[in-house]
């Protein structure tokens, strides 16, 4: 990793104490096609050649994962030099990388000063694997069973910062080029920190790069976006991304759901279920996944299962039962294994697949609902000051 800072904006100049000026190069990694084109235009690439050059650069970054402009062998040397002078191919810093006994990998990534996010790679037995990505730092919602919900929202992630999470995992797994057979990183789930439907536009933009065959090449059917139920965004997100929908349901009556998920007061179950029925492309082969966290004595009784079955009537779906993952300070306890099994049996008997999710990565605190970074909301002025101090220190 070079010492150049990864920033989102055009290069700016930082005054050092010696009063000399240091140019900060920006990294092209994580940018979408249009952003790369804009950067190439900015450094004076002939407008009529920008489209072709963008295609080449995009291909090297996302199909091959190159880390140096010299590897872009179909681009003439002088132009490679020009790119090298203006840009980098740096990734953000991995602050922490933990590997669980079950093979789950957790990354804590520092996107910019004070902005740290977690993503988790979960390998499956069938040689596939899902990367669980974050869409926000923290969350505005305060679901009572969720650790992320105790962290205030720091900010939405940019599309680039979402794409970078995939790049970092692919680097770490050594899975370049994209076209390589037997890749383990086959699926993406937006089940990390934050509420993706409060950041729909950036999630959509990120998926344009992630799903592009000349980009990271992960098919749209292998993308799942999970929401706590931001009803007005569900349809538009489906149209924009063509992703699979997962709903964090966790309770099948308004009273209980509003208690454990305050968003239910704003968008109650009737509206949520209607949005599910209307989800673009919904069919038996494109079913919705309802997530249901098993909380002992709260939502795990047979009558809860009956209510759930009634609520799901007519919706092509399956129900993922998630054993509650504890975190420091929570009062909730996970339901007993037998209770979860009989809940699952009831839902199954009503015709809905109802797998019990295996808890993964608990030893490294990477399981569902356990993600929380130490990033705290700071005043923008403090962040700017820190960024400037860092640039000067590195110069
Ligand atoms: N904000 C989105 C995306 C996060 S997905 C959403 O809520 O859908 C994370 C999933 O883990 C959600 O289904 C969430 O409800 C669930 N979850 C949260 N805390 C949990 C915990 N402690 N144990 C198990 N699952 C939890
Ligand atoms: Fe936010 Fe989802 Fe956690 Fe609720 S469950 S607090 S919406 S991350």
């Amino acid at each position: 990793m070079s010492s150049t800072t990864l920033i989102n904006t055009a290069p700016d100049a930082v005054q050092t104490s010696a009063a000399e000026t240091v140019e900060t190069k920006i990294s092209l990694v994580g940018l979408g096609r249009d952003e790369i084109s804009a950067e190439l235009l900015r450094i004076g690439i002939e407008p009529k050649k920008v489209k072709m050059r963008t295609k080449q650069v995009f291909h090297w970054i996302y199909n091959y994962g190159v880390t140096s402009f010299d590897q872009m062998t179909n681009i003439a040397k002088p132009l490679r030099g020009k790119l090298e002078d203006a840009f980098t191919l740096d990734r953000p810093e991995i602050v922490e990388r933990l590997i669980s006994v079950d093979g789950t990998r957790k990354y804590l990534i520092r996107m910019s000063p004070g902005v740290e996010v977690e993503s988790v790679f979960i390998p499956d037995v069938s040689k596939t694997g899902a990367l669980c990505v974050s869409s926000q730092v923290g969350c505005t919602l305060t679901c009572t069973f969720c650790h992320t919900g105790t962290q205030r929202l720091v900010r939405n992630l940019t599309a680039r910062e979402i794409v970078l999470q995939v790049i970092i995992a692919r680097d770490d797994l050594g899975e370049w080029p994209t076209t390589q057979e037997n890749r383990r990183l086959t699926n993406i789930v937006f089940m990390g920190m934050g509420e993706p439907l409060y950041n729909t536009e950036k999630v959509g933009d990120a998926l344009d790069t992630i799903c592009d065959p000349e980009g990271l090449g992960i098919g749209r059917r292998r993308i799942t976006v999970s929401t706590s139920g931001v009803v007005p965004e569900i349809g538009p997100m489906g149209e924009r991304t063509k992703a699979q929908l997962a709903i964090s349901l966790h309770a099948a009556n308004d009273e209980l759901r509003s208690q454990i998920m305050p968003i239910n007061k704003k968008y109650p179950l009737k509206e949520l279920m209607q949005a599910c029925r209307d989800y673009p492309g919904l069919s038996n082969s494109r079913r919705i996944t309802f997530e249901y966290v098993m909380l002992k004595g709260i939502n795990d009784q047979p009558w809860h299962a009956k209510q759930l079955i009634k609520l799901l009537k007519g919706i092509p779906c399956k129900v993922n039962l998630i054993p509650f993952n504890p975190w420091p300070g929570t009062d909730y306890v996970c339901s007993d294994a037998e209770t979860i099994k009989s809940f699952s049996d009831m839902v199954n008997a009503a015709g809905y697949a109802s797998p019990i999710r295996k808890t993964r990565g608990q030893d490294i605190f990477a399981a569902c609902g356990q993600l929380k970074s130490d990033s705290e909301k700071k005043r923008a002025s403090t962040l700017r000051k820190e960024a400037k101090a860092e640039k000067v220190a590195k110069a």
Side-chain angles (χ1 to χ4, degrees), residues 139 141-143 145-146 148-149 192 194-195 228:
C139 189
L141 299 170
T142 49
C143 305
F145 48 81
C146 175
T148 310
E195 171 48 63
S228 57

Side-chain angles (χ1 to χ4, degrees), residues 5 14 24 34 99 104 139 147 151 200 210 270 274 281 305 333 349 364 372 383:
T5 315
V14 178
T24 308
D34 291 350
I99 303 187
T104 300
C139 189
H147 201 205
Q151 182 186 7
T200 316
I210 293 170
K270 191 158 178 249
Q274 194 52 50
V333 177
I364 56 167
K372 179 186 176 187
L383 287 176

